[in-house]
Amino acid sequence: MRDDVTDDKKGLYRDLLIGLYGWHDSLVSVLKDEDDGKLSDNRSAACKWIVETSLVSSDAVRAAVRDVHRAPFRAQPVIHGGTSTTDEWPLQGVQEGLSALEDALGAELVAPARAASRPWLRHR
């Protein structure tokens, strides 16, 4: 049973990351004036997987998802206005959020496997 849940989460988390990276890539294309025309579709797909993930994930994953979800919206004025108040890459927050999310997803997927490999921990 636990393996089925973990496998379901792996698929969900894979789809989430694909959606978020698609959104990120579309934002990069807009920044480079090479709009791929997929921004709306990629944003919608990412939002769908964000909602799905938030229904079944741990608190740590939900927090990481919230952070990475907000990051593109914070970058939008710079992306669409072309001006920045700092020298920082406008999508730096998105990239940092994606990295933190990957860490949180990995930790959540490893934790059940660790507990299953040490049954004595569950009987405390």
Side-chain angles (χ1 to χ4, degrees), residues 39-101:
L39 179 60
S40 179
D41 291 340
N42 285 329
R43 182 180 52 234
S44 294
C47 288
K48 171 190 171 188
W49 295 118
I50 286 168
V51 170
E52 294 285 334
T53 298
S54 66
L55 295 173
V56 300
S57 60
S58 68
D59 290 341
V61 169
R62 278 195 300 278
V65 167
R66 261 191 314 273
D67 290 345
V68 77
H69 185 204
R70 291 177 184 147
F73 294 112
R74 286 192 298 268
Q76 263 183 278
V78 174
I79 292 169
H80 295 294
T83 58
S84 175
T85 57
T86 68
D87 290 334
E88 184 177 280
W89 169 243
L91 296 176
Q92 184 67 33
V94 177
Q95 293 165 335
E96 290 169 357
L98 286 167
S99 179
L101 176 60

CSV table of all heavy atoms in Angstrom, one decimal, residues 39-101:
chain,number,residue,atom,x,y,z
A,39,LEU,N,3.0,30.6,-22.6
A,39,LEU,CA,3.0,31.1,-21.2
A,39,LEU,C,1.7,30.7,-20.5
A,39,LEU,O,1.7,30.1,-19.5
A,39,LEU,CB,3.3,32.6,-21.2
A,39,LEU,CG,3.3,33.2,-19.8
A,39,LEU,CD1,4.3,32.5,-18.9
A,39,LEU,CD2,3.5,34.7,-19.9
A,40,SER,N,0.6,31.0,-21.2
A,40,SER,CA,-0.7,30.8,-20.5
A,40,SER,C,-1.0,29.3,-20.3
A,40,SER,O,-1.4,28.9,-19.2
A,40,SER,CB,-1.8,31.4,-21.4
A,40,SER,OG,-3.1,31.2,-20.8
A,41,ASP,N,-0.7,28.5,-21.3
A,41,ASP,CA,-0.8,27.0,-21.2
A,41,ASP,C,0.1,26.5,-20.1
A,41,ASP,O,-0.4,25.6,-19.3
A,41,ASP,CB,-0.6,26.3,-22.5
A,41,ASP,CG,-1.6,26.6,-23.5
A,41,ASP,OD1,-2.7,27.1,-23.2
A,41,ASP,OD2,-1.3,26.4,-24.7
A,42,ASN,N,1.3,26.9,-20.1
A,42,ASN,CA,2.2,26.4,-19.1
A,42,ASN,C,1.9,26.8,-17.7
A,42,ASN,O,2.0,26.1,-16.7
A,42,ASN,CB,3.7,26.8,-19.4
A,42,ASN,CG,4.2,25.9,-20.5
A,42,ASN,OD1,3.9,24.8,-20.7
A,42,ASN,ND2,5.1,26.5,-21.3
A,43,ARG,N,1.4,28.1,-17.5
A,43,ARG,CA,1.0,28.6,-16.2
A,43,ARG,C,-0.2,27.8,-15.7
A,43,ARG,O,-0.3,27.4,-14.6
A,43,ARG,CB,0.7,30.1,-16.3
A,43,ARG,CG,0.3,30.7,-15.0
A,43,ARG,CD,0.0,32.1,-15.0
A,43,ARG,NE,-0.9,32.4,-16.0
A,43,ARG,CZ,-0.7,33.3,-17.0
A,43,ARG,NH1,0.4,34.0,-17.1
A,43,ARG,NH2,-1.7,33.6,-17.9
A,44,SER,N,-1.2,27.6,-16.6
A,44,SER,CA,-2.4,26.8,-16.3
A,44,SER,C,-2.0,25.4,-15.8
A,44,SER,O,-2.6,24.9,-14.9
A,44,SER,CB,-3.4,26.8,-17.4
A,44,SER,OG,-3.8,28.1,-17.7
A,45,ALA,N,-1.2,24.7,-16.6
A,45,ALA,CA,-0.8,23.4,-16.2
A,45,ALA,C,-0.1,23.3,-14.9
A,45,ALA,O,-0.3,22.5,-14.0
A,45,ALA,CB,0.2,22.8,-17.3
A,46,ALA,N,0.8,24.3,-14.7
A,46,ALA,CA,1.5,24.3,-13.4
A,46,ALA,C,0.6,24.6,-12.2
A,46,ALA,O,0.6,23.9,-11.2
A,46,ALA,CB,2.6,25.5,-13.4
A,47,CYS,N,-0.4,25.4,-12.4
A,47,CYS,CA,-1.4,25.7,-11.4
A,47,CYS,C,-2.2,24.5,-11.1
A,47,CYS,O,-2.5,24.2,-9.9
A,47,CYS,CB,-2.2,26.9,-11.7
A,47,CYS,SG,-1.3,28.5,-11.7
A,48,LYS,N,-2.6,23.7,-12.1
A,48,LYS,CA,-3.3,22.5,-11.9
A,48,LYS,C,-2.5,21.5,-11.0
A,48,LYS,O,-3.1,21.0,-10.0
A,48,LYS,CB,-3.6,21.8,-13.2
A,48,LYS,CG,-4.2,20.5,-13.1
A,48,LYS,CD,-4.2,19.7,-14.4
A,48,LYS,CE,-4.6,18.3,-14.2
A,48,LYS,NZ,-4.5,17.5,-15.4
A,49,TRP,N,-1.3,21.4,-11.3
A,49,TRP,CA,-0.5,20.4,-10.5
A,49,TRP,C,-0.1,21.0,-9.1
A,49,TRP,O,0.0,20.2,-8.2
A,49,TRP,CB,0.8,20.0,-11.3
A,49,TRP,CG,0.5,19.3,-12.6
A,49,TRP,CD1,0.8,19.7,-13.8
A,49,TRP,CD2,-0.2,18.1,-12.7
A,49,TRP,NE1,0.3,18.8,-14.7
A,49,TRP,CE2,-0.3,17.8,-14.0
A,49,TRP,CE3,-0.8,17.2,-11.7
A,49,TRP,CZ2,-1.0,16.6,-14.5
A,49,TRP,CZ3,-1.4,16.0,-12.2
A,49,TRP,CH2,-1.5,15.8,-13.6
A,50,ILE,N,-0.1,22.3,-9.0
A,50,ILE,CA,0.1,22.9,-7.7
A,50,ILE,C,-1.1,22.5,-6.8
A,50,ILE,O,-0.9,22.1,-5.6
A,50,ILE,CB,0.3,24.4,-7.8
A,50,ILE,CG1,1.7,24.7,-8.4
A,50,ILE,CG2,0.1,25.1,-6.5
A,50,ILE,CD1,1.9,26.2,-8.8
A,51,VAL,N,-2.3,22.7,-7.3
A,51,VAL,CA,-3.5,22.4,-6.5
A,51,VAL,C,-3.5,20.9,-6.2
A,51,VAL,O,-3.7,20.5,-5.0
A,51,VAL,CB,-4.8,22.7,-7.3
A,51,VAL,CG1,-6.0,22.2,-6.6
A,51,VAL,CG2,-4.8,24.3,-7.5
A,52,GLU,N,-3.2,20.0,-7.1
A,52,GLU,CA,-3.2,18.6,-6.9
A,52,GLU,C,-2.2,18.2,-5.8
A,52,GLU,O,-2.5,17.4,-4.9
A,52,GLU,CB,-2.9,17.8,-8.2
A,52,GLU,CG,-4.0,17.9,-9.3
A,52,GLU,CD,-5.2,17.1,-9.0
A,52,GLU,OE1,-5.1,16.1,-8.3
A,52,GLU,OE2,-6.3,17.4,-9.5
A,53,THR,N,-1.0,18.8,-5.9
A,53,THR,CA,0.0,18.5,-5.0
A,53,THR,C,-0.3,18.9,-3.6
A,53,THR,O,-0.1,18.2,-2.6
A,53,THR,CB,1.3,19.1,-5.4
A,53,THR,OG1,1.7,18.6,-6.7
A,53,THR,CG2,2.4,18.9,-4.4
A,54,SER,N,-0.9,20.1,-3.5
A,54,SER,CA,-1.3,20.6,-2.1
A,54,SER,C,-2.3,19.8,-1.4
A,54,SER,O,-2.4,19.9,-0.2
A,54,SER,CB,-1.7,22.1,-2.2
A,54,SER,OG,-2.9,22.2,-2.9
A,55,LEU,N,-3.0,19.0,-2.1
A,55,LEU,CA,-4.1,18.2,-1.5
A,55,LEU,C,-3.5,16.9,-0.8
A,55,LEU,O,-4.1,16.4,0.1
A,55,LEU,CB,-5.1,17.7,-2.6
A,55,LEU,CG,-5.9,18.8,-3.2
A,55,LEU,CD1,-6.8,18.2,-4.3
A,55,LEU,CD2,-6.8,19.5,-2.1
A,56,VAL,N,-2.3,16.5,-1.3
A,56,VAL,CA,-1.7,15.2,-0.7
A,56,VAL,C,-0.4,15.3,-0.1
A,56,VAL,O,0.2,14.3,0.3
A,56,VAL,CB,-1.7,14.1,-1.9
A,56,VAL,CG1,-3.1,13.9,-2.4
A,56,VAL,CG2,-0.8,14.5,-3.0
A,57,SER,N,0.2,16.5,-0.1
A,57,SER,CA,1.6,16.6,0.3
A,57,SER,C,1.8,17.0,1.7
A,57,SER,O,0.8,17.4,2.4
A,57,SER,CB,2.4,17.6,-0.6
A,57,SER,OG,1.8,18.9,-0.5
A,58,SER,N,3.0,16.8,2.2
A,58,SER,CA,3.3,17.2,3.6
A,58,SER,C,3.4,18.7,3.7
A,58,SER,O,3.3,19.5,2.7
A,58,SER,CB,4.7,16.7,3.9
A,58,SER,OG,5.7,17.3,3.2
A,59,ASP,N,3.4,19.2,4.9
A,59,ASP,CA,3.5,20.6,5.2
A,59,ASP,C,4.7,21.3,4.6
A,59,ASP,O,4.6,22.4,4.0
A,59,ASP,CB,3.5,20.9,6.7
A,59,ASP,CG,2.2,20.6,7.4
A,59,ASP,OD1,1.2,20.5,6.7
A,59,ASP,OD2,2.2,20.5,8.6
A,60,ALA,N,5.8,20.6,4.6
A,60,ALA,CA,7.1,21.1,4.0
A,60,ALA,C,7.0,21.3,2.5
A,60,ALA,O,7.4,22.3,2.0
A,60,ALA,CB,8.3,20.2,4.4
A,61,VAL,N,6.3,20.3,1.9
A,61,VAL,CA,6.2,20.4,0.4
A,61,VAL,C,5.2,21.5,0.1
A,61,VAL,O,5.4,22.3,-0.8
A,61,VAL,CB,5.7,19.1,-0.2
A,61,VAL,CG1,5.3,19.2,-1.6
A,61,VAL,CG2,6.9,18.0,-0.1
A,62,ARG,N,4.1,21.6,0.8
A,62,ARG,CA,3.1,22.7,0.6
A,62,ARG,C,3.7,24.0,0.7
A,62,ARG,O,3.5,24.9,-0.1
A,62,ARG,CB,1.9,22.5,1.5
A,62,ARG,CG,0.9,21.5,1.0
A,62,ARG,CD,-0.5,21.6,1.7
A,62,ARG,NE,-0.4,21.4,3.2
A,62,ARG,CZ,-0.4,20.2,3.8
A,62,ARG,NH1,-0.5,19.1,3.0
A,62,ARG,NH2,-0.3,20.2,5.1
A,63,ALA,N,4.6,24.2,1.7
A,63,ALA,CA,5.2,25.5,1.9
A,63,ALA,C,6.2,25.8,0.7
A,63,ALA,O,6.2,26.9,0.2
A,63,ALA,CB,6.0,25.5,3.2
A,64,ALA,N,6.9,24.8,0.3
A,64,ALA,CA,7.8,25.0,-0.9
A,64,ALA,C,7.0,25.3,-2.2
A,64,ALA,O,7.4,26.1,-3.0
A,64,ALA,CB,8.7,23.8,-1.1
A,65,VAL,N,5.9,24.6,-2.3
A,65,VAL,CA,5.0,24.9,-3.5
A,65,VAL,C,4.5,26.3,-3.4
A,65,VAL,O,4.5,27.0,-4.5
A,65,VAL,CB,3.9,23.8,-3.5
A,65,VAL,CG1,2.8,24.2,-4.5
A,65,VAL,CG2,4.4,22.5,-3.9
A,66,ARG,N,4.0,26.7,-2.3
A,66,ARG,CA,3.5,28.1,-2.1
A,66,ARG,C,4.6,29.1,-2.5
A,66,ARG,O,4.3,30.1,-3.3
A,66,ARG,CB,3.1,28.4,-0.7
A,66,ARG,CG,1.6,28.3,-0.5
A,66,ARG,CD,1.2,28.8,0.9
A,66,ARG,NE,2.0,28.4,2.0
A,66,ARG,CZ,1.8,27.2,2.7
A,66,ARG,NH1,0.9,26.4,2.4
A,66,ARG,NH2,2.6,26.9,3.7
A,67,ASP,N,5.8,28.9,-2.1
A,67,ASP,CA,6.9,29.8,-2.4
A,67,ASP,C,7.2,29.9,-3.9
A,67,ASP,O,7.4,31.0,-4.4
A,67,ASP,CB,8.1,29.5,-1.6
A,67,ASP,CG,8.0,29.7,-0.1
A,67,ASP,OD1,7.0,30.5,0.3
A,67,ASP,OD2,8.8,29.2,0.7
A,68,VAL,N,7.3,28.7,-4.5
A,68,VAL,CA,7.7,28.7,-5.9
A,68,VAL,C,6.5,29.2,-6.7
A,68,VAL,O,6.7,29.8,-7.8
A,68,VAL,CB,8.2,27.3,-6.3
A,68,VAL,CG1,7.0,26.3,-6.5
A,68,VAL,CG2,9.0,27.4,-7.6
A,69,HIS,N,5.3,29.0,-6.3
A,69,HIS,CA,4.1,29.5,-7.0
A,69,HIS,C,4.1,31.1,-7.0
A,69,HIS,O,3.7,31.7,-8.0
A,69,HIS,CB,2.9,28.9,-6.4
A,69,HIS,CG,1.6,29.3,-7.1
A,69,HIS,ND1,0.4,29.3,-6.5
A,69,HIS,CD2,1.3,29.6,-8.4
A,69,HIS,CE1,-0.6,29.6,-7.3
A,69,HIS,NE2,0.0,29.9,-8.5
A,70,ARG,N,4.5,31.7,-5.9
A,70,ARG,CA,4.5,33.1,-5.8
A,70,ARG,C,5.6,33.8,-6.6
A,70,ARG,O,5.5,34.9,-7.0
A,70,ARG,CB,4.6,33.5,-4.3
A,70,ARG,CG,3.3,33.2,-3.5
A,70,ARG,CD,3.5,33.6,-2.1
A,70,ARG,NE,2.4,33.2,-1.3
A,70,ARG,CZ,2.4,32.8,-0.1
A,70,ARG,NH1,3.6,32.7,0.6
A,70,ARG,NH2,1.3,32.4,0.6
A,71,ALA,N,6.7,33.1,-6.7
A,71,ALA,CA,7.9,33.7,-7.4
A,71,ALA,C,7.7,34.2,-8.8
A,71,ALA,O,8.1,35.4,-9.1
A,71,ALA,CB,9.0,32.7,-7.3
A,72,PRO,N,7.0,33.5,-9.7
A,72,PRO,CA,6.8,34.1,-11.0
A,72,PRO,C,5.9,35.3,-11.0
A,72,PRO,O,6.1,36.2,-11.8
A,72,PRO,CB,6.1,33.0,-11.8
A,72,PRO,CG,6.4,31.7,-11.1
A,72,PRO,CD,6.6,32.1,-9.6
A,73,PHE,N,5.0,35.4,-10.1
A,73,PHE,CA,4.1,36.6,-10.0
A,73,PHE,C,4.9,37.8,-9.5
A,73,PHE,O,4.7,38.9,-9.9
A,73,PHE,CB,2.9,36.3,-9.1
A,73,PHE,CG,2.0,35.3,-9.7
A,73,PHE,CD1,1.8,34.1,-9.1
A,73,PHE,CD2,1.3,35.6,-10.9
A,73,PHE,CE1,1.0,33.1,-9.7
A,73,PHE,CE2,0.4,34.7,-11.4
A,73,PHE,CZ,0.2,33.4,-10.8
A,74,ARG,N,5.9,37.6,-8.6
A,74,ARG,CA,6.8,38.7,-8.2
A,74,ARG,C,7.7,39.1,-9.3
A,74,ARG,O,8.0,40.3,-9.4
A,74,ARG,CB,7.6,38.2,-7.0
A,74,ARG,CG,6.8,38.1,-5.7
A,74,ARG,CD,7.7,38.0,-4.5
A,74,ARG,NE,8.5,36.8,-4.5
A,74,ARG,CZ,8.2,35.6,-4.0
A,74,ARG,NH1,7.0,35.5,-3.4
A,74,ARG,NH2,9.0,34.5,-4.1
A,75,ALA,N,8.0,38.3,-10.2
A,75,ALA,CA,8.9,38.6,-11.4
A,75,ALA,C,8.2,39.3,-12.5
A,75,ALA,O,8.8,39.9,-13.4
A,75,ALA,CB,9.6,37.4,-11.8
A,76,GLN,N,6.8,39.1,-12.6
A,76,GLN,CA,6.1,39.6,-13.7
A,76,GLN,C,6.3,41.1,-14.0
A,76,GLN,O,6.4,41.4,-15.2
A,76,GLN,CB,4.6,39.3,-13.5
A,76,GLN,CG,4.2,38.0,-14.3
A,76,GLN,CD,2.7,37.7,-14.2
A,76,GLN,OE1,2.3,37.2,-13.2
A,76,GLN,NE2,2.0,38.1,-15.2
A,77,PRO,N,6.2,42.0,-13.1
A,77,PRO,CA,6.4,43.4,-13.4
A,77,PRO,C,7.7,43.6,-14.2
A,77,PRO,O,7.8,44.4,-15.1
A,77,PRO,CB,6.4,44.1,-12.1
A,77,PRO,CG,5.6,43.2,-11.2
A,77,PRO,CD,6.0,41.8,-11.6
A,78,VAL,N,8.8,43.0,-13.7
A,78,VAL,CA,10.1,43.1,-14.4
A,78,VAL,C,10.0,42.5,-15.8
A,78,VAL,O,10.5,43.1,-16.7
A,78,VAL,CB,11.2,42.5,-13.5
A,78,VAL,CG1,12.5,42.5,-14.3
A,78,VAL,CG2,11.3,43.2,-12.2
A,79,ILE,N,9.4,41.3,-15.9
A,79,ILE,CA,9.4,40.6,-17.2
A,79,ILE,C,8.6,41.4,-18.2
A,79,ILE,O,9.0,41.6,-19.3
A,79,ILE,CB,8.8,39.2,-17.0
A,79,ILE,CG1,9.7,38.4,-16.2
A,79,ILE,CG2,8.5,38.6,-18.3
A,79,ILE,CD1,9.1,37.1,-15.7
A,80,HIS,N,7.5,41.9,-17.8
A,80,HIS,CA,6.6,42.6,-18.7
A,80,HIS,C,6.9,44.1,-18.9
A,80,HIS,O,6.7,44.7,-19.9
A,80,HIS,CB,5.1,42.5,-18.4
A,80,HIS,CG,4.7,41.0,-18.5
A,80,HIS,ND1,4.6,40.4,-19.7
A,80,HIS,CD2,4.3,40.1,-17.6
A,80,HIS,CE1,4.2,39.1,-19.5
A,80,HIS,NE2,4.0,39.0,-18.2
A,81,GLY,N,7.5,44.7,-17.8
A,81,GLY,CA,7.9,46.1,-17.9
A,81,GLY,C,9.3,46.3,-18.3
A,81,GLY,O,9.7,47.4,-18.8
A,82,GLY,N,10.1,45.3,-18.2
A,82,GLY,CA,11.5,45.4,-18.7
A,82,GLY,C,12.4,46.2,-17.8
A,82,GLY,O,13.6,46.5,-18.1
A,83,THR,N,12.0,46.6,-16.6
A,83,THR,CA,12.8,47.3,-15.7
A,83,THR,C,13.0,46.6,-14.4
A,83,THR,O,12.0,45.9,-13.9
A,83,THR,CB,12.3,48.7,-15.4
A,83,THR,OG1,11.0,48.6,-14.9
A,83,THR,CG2,12.2,49.6,-16.7
A,84,SER,N,14.1,46.7,-13.8
A,84,SER,CA,14.4,46.0,-12.5
A,84,SER,C,15.0,47.0,-11.5
A,84,SER,O,15.8,47.9,-12.0
A,84,SER,CB,15.3,44.8,-12.7
A,84,SER,OG,15.6,44.3,-11.5
A,85,THR,N,14.7,46.9,-10.3
A,85,THR,CA,15.3,47.8,-9.3
A,85,THR,C,16.6,47.2,-8.8
A,85,THR,O,17.3,47.8,-8.0
A,85,THR,CB,14.3,48.0,-8.1
A,85,THR,OG1,14.0,46.7,-7.5
A,85,THR,CG2,13.1,48.7,-8.6
A,86,THR,N,16.9,46.0,-9.2
A,86,THR,CA,18.2,45.3,-8.8
A,86,THR,C,18.9,44.7,-10.0
A,86,THR,O,18.3,44.7,-11.1
A,86,THR,CB,17.9,44.2,-7.8
A,86,THR,OG1,17.3,43.1,-8.4
A,86,THR,CG2,17.1,44.6,-6.6
A,87,ASP,N,20.1,44.3,-9.8
A,87,ASP,CA,20.8,43.7,-10.9
A,87,ASP,C,20.5,42.2,-10.9
A,87,ASP,O,21.1,41.5,-11.8
A,87,ASP,CB,22.3,43.9,-10.7
A,87,ASP,CG,22.7,45.4,-11.0
A,87,ASP,OD1,21.9,46.0,-11.8
A,87,ASP,OD2,23.7,45.8,-10.5
A,88,GLU,N,19.7,41.7,-10.0
A,88,GLU,CA,19.4,40.3,-9.9
A,88,GLU,C,18.6,39.8,-11.1
A,88,GLU,O,17.8,40.5,-11.7
A,88,GLU,CB,18.6,40.0,-8.7
A,88,GLU,CG,18.3,38.6,-8.4
A,88,GLU,CD,17.6,38.4,-7.1
A,88,GLU,OE1,18.3,38.4,-6.0
A,88,GLU,OE2,16.4,38.2,-7.1
A,89,TRP,N,18.9,38.6,-11.6
A,89,TRP,CA,18.1,38.0,-12.7
A,89,TRP,C,16.7,37.9,-12.2
A,89,TRP,O,16.4,37.4,-11.1
A,89,TRP,CB,18.7,36.6,-12.9
A,89,TRP,CG,18.0,35.7,-13.8
A,89,TRP,CD1,17.4,34.5,-13.5
A,89,TRP,CD2,17.7,35.8,-15.2
A,89,TRP,NE1,16.8,33.9,-14.6
A,89,TRP,CE2,17.0,34.7,-15.6
A,89,TRP,CE3,17.9,36.8,-16.2
A,89,TRP,CZ2,16.5,34.5,-16.9
A,89,TRP,CZ3,17.5,36.6,-17.5
A,89,TRP,CH2,16.8,35.5,-17.8
A,90,PRO,N,15.7,38.3,-13.0
A,90,PRO,CA,14.3,38.4,-12.6
A,90,PRO,C,13.8,37.1,-12.1
A,90,PRO,O,12.9,37.0,-11.3
A,90,PRO,CB,13.6,38.9,-13.8
A,90,PRO,CG,14.6,39.6,-14.6
A,90,PRO,CD,15.9,38.9,-14.3
A,91,LEU,N,14.3,36.0,-12.7
A,91,LEU,CA,13.8,34.7,-12.3
A,91,LEU,C,14.6,33.9,-11.3
A,91,LEU,O,14.4,32.7,-11.1
A,91,LEU,CB,13.6,33.8,-13.6
A,91,LEU,CG,12.6,34.4,-14.6
A,91,LEU,CD1,12.6,33.5,-15.8
A,91,LEU,CD2,11.2,34.5,-14.0
A,92,GLN,N,15.5,34.7,-10.6
A,92,GLN,CA,16.3,34.1,-9.6
A,92,GLN,C,15.5,33.4,-8.5
A,92,GLN,O,15.7,32.3,-8.0
A,92,GLN,CB,17.3,35.1,-9.0
A,92,GLN,CG,18.2,34.5,-8.0
A,92,GLN,CD,19.2,33.6,-8.6
A,92,GLN,OE1,19.6,33.8,-9.7
A,92,GLN,NE2,19.6,32.6,-7.9
A,93,GLY,N,14.4,34.1,-8.1
A,93,GLY,CA,13.5,33.6,-7.0
A,93,GLY,C,12.8,32.3,-7.5
A,93,GLY,O,12.6,31.4,-6.7
A,94,VAL,N,12.5,32.3,-8.7
A,94,VAL,CA,11.8,31.1,-9.3
A,94,VAL,C,12.8,29.9,-9.2
A,94,VAL,O,12.4,28.8,-8.8
A,94,VAL,CB,11.3,31.3,-10.7
A,94,VAL,CG1,10.7,30.1,-11.3
A,94,VAL,CG2,10.3,32.5,-10.8
A,95,GLN,N,14.0,30.2,-9.7
A,95,GLN,CA,15.0,29.1,-9.7
A,95,GLN,C,15.3,28.6,-8.3
A,95,GLN,O,15.5,27.4,-8.1
A,95,GLN,CB,16.3,29.6,-10.5
A,95,GLN,CG,16.0,29.8,-11.9
A,95,GLN,CD,17.0,30.6,-12.7
A,95,GLN,OE1,17.8,31.4,-12.1
A,95,GLN,NE2,17.1,30.5,-14.0
A,96,GLU,N,15.5,29.5,-7.4
A,96,GLU,CA,15.7,29.1,-6.0
A,96,GLU,C,14.5,28.4,-5.4
A,96,GLU,O,14.7,27.4,-4.7
A,96,GLU,CB,16.0,30.4,-5.2
A,96,GLU,CG,17.4,31.0,-5.5
A,96,GLU,CD,17.6,32.4,-4.8
A,96,GLU,OE1,16.6,32.9,-4.2
A,96,GLU,OE2,18.6,32.9,-5.0
A,97,GLY,N,13.3,28.8,-5.8
A,97,GLY,CA,12.1,28.1,-5.3
A,97,GLY,C,12.0,26.7,-5.9
A,97,GLY,O,11.6,25.8,-5.2
A,98,LEU,N,12.4,26.6,-7.1
A,98,LEU,CA,12.3,25.2,-7.7
A,98,LEU,C,13.4,24.3,-7.1
A,98,LEU,O,13.1,23.1,-6.8
A,98,LEU,CB,12.6,25.3,-9.2
A,98,LEU,CG,11.5,25.9,-10.1
A,98,LEU,CD1,11.9,26.2,-11.5
A,98,LEU,CD2,10.3,24.9,-10.1
A,99,SER,N,14.5,24.8,-6.8
A,99,SER,CA,15.5,24.0,-6.1
A,99,SER,C,15.1,23.6,-4.7
A,99,SER,O,15.2,22.4,-4.3
A,99,SER,CB,16.8,24.8,-6.0
A,99,SER,OG,17.8,24.1,-5.4
A,100,ALA,N,14.5,24.5,-4.0
A,100,ALA,CA,14.0,24.2,-2.6
A,100,ALA,C,12.8,23.2,-2.7
A,100,ALA,O,12.7,22.3,-1.9
A,100,ALA,CB,13.5,25.4,-1.9
A,101,LEU,N,12.0,23.3,-3.7
A,101,LEU,CA,10.9,22.4,-3.9
A,101,LEU,C,11.4,21.0,-4.2
A,101,LEU,O,10.9,20.0,-3.7
A,101,LEU,CB,9.9,22.9,-5.0
A,101,LEU,CG,8.8,21.9,-5.4
A,101,LEU,CD1,7.9,21.7,-4.2
A,101,LEU,CD2,8.0,22.5,-6.6
